[in-house]
């Protein structure tokens, strides 16, 4: 099988689908992460909304801060699983293109 050029790969439907799916996953996750991450310093600096007790002496600021660790782990797990799907798509494209 003849190996195809990068231009041919770039214009293939499978490659366009791969890029589209990656964008549909990565962009919303990045926006969510940044909003969630920067919400804590903004809310604690400019409002007192998180200063109220959540559980005994623990305020909502501490709950939110802990939730950021959980959110980071969840996003890492989701990305790892999605990356495996992207890798399979790349393997298919490579086979189709003769690489």
């Amino acid at each position: 099988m003849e190996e195809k050029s990068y231009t041919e790969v770039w214009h293939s439907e499978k490659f366009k689908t791969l890029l589209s799916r990656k964008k549909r996953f990565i962009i919303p996750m990045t926006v969510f992460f940044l909003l969630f991450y920067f919400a804590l310093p903004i809310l604690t600096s400019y409002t007192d909304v998180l200063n109220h007790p959540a559980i005994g002496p623990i305020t909502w600021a501490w709950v939110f801060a802990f939730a950021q660790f959980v959110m980071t782990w969840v996003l890492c797990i989701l990305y790892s699983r999605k990356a495996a799907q992207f890798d399979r798509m790349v393997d298919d494209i490579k086979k189709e293109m003769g690489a």
Side-chain angles (χ1 to χ4, degrees), residues 19-39:
L19 292 180
S20 172
R21 288 185 183 174
K22 284 180 80 170
K23 285 180 190 175
R24 277 196 320 233
F25 178 75
I26 292 171
I27 291 172
M29 288 297 141
T30 302
V31 170
F32 171 75
F33 172 81
L34 291 172
L35 289 173
F36 197 87
Y37 181 78
F38 285 112

Side-chain angles (χ1 to χ4, degrees), residues 5-18:
S5 72
Y6 180 74
T7 304
E8 291 174 298
V9 173
W10 178 262
H11 291 294
S12 73
E13 280 305 311
K14 284 188 176 184
F15 189 75
K16 289 178 183 178
T17 301
L18 171 66

Side-chain angles (χ1 to χ4, degrees), residues 43-44 46-53 60-61:
L43 289 173
T44 55
Y46 301 108
T47 71
D48 64 347
V49 110
L50 297 177
N51 293 342
H52 305 291
W60 284 107

